[in-house]
Amino acid sequence: MFPFLLVPLANQFSALNVFRYITFRAGGAIMTALVIAFLIGPRMINWLRARQGKGQPIRAEGPQRHIVEKQGTPTMGGLLILVSAVAATLLWADLTDAYVWIVLFVTLSFGLLGFADDYLKVMKRSPEGVRGRMKLVVQLAVALIAGFAVMRFEEHGLSGTVAVPFLKAVLIPLSWGFLIFAALVIVGASNAVNLTDGLDGLAIVPVMIAALAFALIAYLVGNVRFADYLQLHYVAGTGELAIFLAALLGAGLGFLWYNAPPAMVFMGDTGSLALGGALGAVAVATKHEIILAIVGGLFVMEAVSVIVQVTSYKMTGKRVFKMAPIHHHFEQLGWREPTIVIRFWIISVVLALIGLSSLKLR
């Protein structure tokens, strides 16, 4: 907040002009979130470890080596990401921008839901945590509110429409049906990231890659000149989301320092639900929902593997994969954890580049 309050003074003092630029403030957000994560990380991890005892419950039906290697590792590390990212966003972003508050609302609401789930599982030793149906109801309610708010602040020609990537002029009008579409994007992204969070470092790096890609998208979509040149649909105000995403990138880097194999802390549902919801909300706000399915293709792959596995088993009694989500399938094939994680990172980079290619094609 303080750096942004300097913007009015920039009109009088040329030395402060840098505070008017989103790129400068995005850099400040990255560094601020990273420093906060490094400062509070060790104390937060020790605090979580002292209060969680046995740490995150390890699924008995999961890979057996996880029971030995990961037992006792504290969870709820998503708190580290959320505190760092939100603090940096409040410090550097324009807090008069509606889209910043919409995305923060989704992020913090999903983070609170994930915290409740982790708390019940770890502190109360409840195997189910928050009931699945209740979790879905809360997610849908938050997503519908966010979708309505986005429609409320979009210009008349864009409100209630879905943009089609690679086809610059195409807008699919959904009217109030857009609320359902937006809710599916936000809730789907949240749960897909949650399913991906199963190995040390597996989820956070693809999240950072997607955040970086969407920081560029938000910056371009929110700039009338760049949007016009690239034939993108200009959405006034979304440029400030680049600040939030930059903060998310810095916080993710700080978290990765402690989540790198062997992990000192897991993000838990506190982090995974919040991060996925944040990416979904940004995609809805910037009119790039379909691009999220490409940039976040790894998350889609993980979610689809679970859907295919469950459907196949219920219909035929047979499993398509040795274990789902799909990263566990490769574990069962004998791949080592670092091999799976790094190869999935590479896939994420490739998919992000494919998604971003739609911005240049004219």
Side-chain angles (χ1 to χ4, degrees):
M1 185 185 303
F2 177 71
F4 188 78
L5 290 178
L6 294 175
V7 172
L9 296 177
N11 295 325
Q12 303 177 36
F13 302 99
S14 59
L16 296 176
N17 276 340
V18 290
F19 289 98
R20 300 173 57 187
Y21 301 131
I22 289 177
T23 49
F24 177 81
R25 289 186 284 121
I30 291 176
M31 294 308 301
T32 301
L34 181 60
V35 169
I36 293 174
F38 281 153
L39 288 177
I40 70 174
R43 292 184 179 181
M44 182 173 288
I45 292 171
N46 290 335
W47 180 78
L48 291 172
R49 183 180 292 112
R51 282 157 179 77
Q52 292 182 10
K54 297 180 180 180
Q56 176 172 300
I58 306 299
R59 291 189 310 157
E61 66 272 18
Q64 291 302 300
R65 70 172 188 83
H66 286 200
I67 298 176
V68 177
E69 298 176 7
K70 301 183 185 295
Q71 188 71 49
T73 305
T75 187
M76 295 188 189
L79 286 173
L80 175 61
I81 303 172
L82 293 179
V83 170
S84 304
V86 171
T89 300
L90 295 177
L91 183 65
W92 290 97
D94 178 2
L95 300 185
T96 65
D97 187 281
Y99 291 111
V100 171
W101 288 109
I102 292 171
V103 172
L104 283 177
F105 166 70
V106 173
T107 304
L108 292 175
S109 297
F110 279 32
L112 183 61
L113 176 63
F115 179 84
D117 192 52
D118 288 334
Y119 180 83
L120 290 175
K121 289 178 180 177
V122 178
M123 303 296 193
K124 300 299 183 180
R125 311 311 295 180
S126 170
E128 187 177 4
V130 178
R131 294 182 179 276
R133 184 173 298 178
M134 176 60 67
K135 187 185 297 184
L136 183 60
V137 167
V138 174
Q139 287 178 309
L140 286 173
V142 171
L144 287 170
I145 293 172
F148 177 79
V150 168
M151 289 183 65
R152 170 68 176 78
F153 289 102
E154 284 179 337
E155 295 182 2
H156 178 70
L158 291 177
S159 183
T161 64
V162 176
V164 180
F166 305 105
L167 301 176
K168 300 292 189 177
V170 176
L171 282 174
I172 302 175
L174 297 181
S175 186
W176 289 106
F178 178 79
L179 289 179
I180 299 175
F181 176 74
L184 290 176
V185 171
I186 295 172
V187 174
S190 176
N191 289 314
V193 173
N194 181 246
L195 290 171
T196 306
D197 183 33
L199 300 176
D200 298 349
L202 177 59
I204 189 60
V205 171
V207 164
M208 288 191 293
I209 292 170
L212 182 59
F214 268 88
L216 176 60
I217 291 172
Y219 177 72
L220 296 175
V221 169
N223 185 296
V224 65
R225 293 183 179 180
F226 288 137
D228 179 66
Y229 173 73
L230 294 170
Q231 297 180 11
L232 301 173
H233 299 287
Y234 171 62
V235 186
T238 54
E240 286 297 320
L241 292 178
I243 309 298
F244 167 78
L245 292 165
L248 206 61
L249 177 59
L253 285 170
F255 174 76
L256 181 61
W257 183 267
Y258 305 106
N259 187 239
M264 298 171 61
V265 65
F266 300 140
M267 72 167 67
D269 286 7
T270 306
S272 59
L273 292 180
L275 294 175
L279 292 176
V282 170
V284 169
T286 57
K287 312 301 292 183
H288 278 69
E289 301 92 345
I290 298 176
I291 289 296
L292 177 61
I294 302 174
V295 171
L298 178 67
F299 306 129
V300 175
M301 180 177 71
E302 294 275 7
V304 169
S305 70
V306 173
I307 294 171
V308 169
Q309 185 85 326
V310 172
T311 302
S312 175
Y313 187 76
K314 286 186 175 181
M315 294 182 65
T316 68
K318 297 181 180 180
R319 293 179 173 86
V320 176
F321 305 103
K322 290 181 177 295
M323 189 176 292
I326 197 169
H327 57 263
H328 289 322
H329 171 78
F330 290 107
E331 278 192 290
Q332 298 299 97
L333 289 177
W335 289 25
R336 297 182 61 186
E337 182 171 337
T339 301
I340 298 170
V341 170
I342 293 175
R343 287 178 178 174
F344 277 35
W345 289 354
I346 294 171
I347 292 172
S348 293
V349 172
V350 172
L351 291 172
L353 293 174
I354 293 172
L356 289 174
S357 68
S358 69
L359 303 180
K360 187 62 180 174
L361 294 178
R362 302 185 66 184

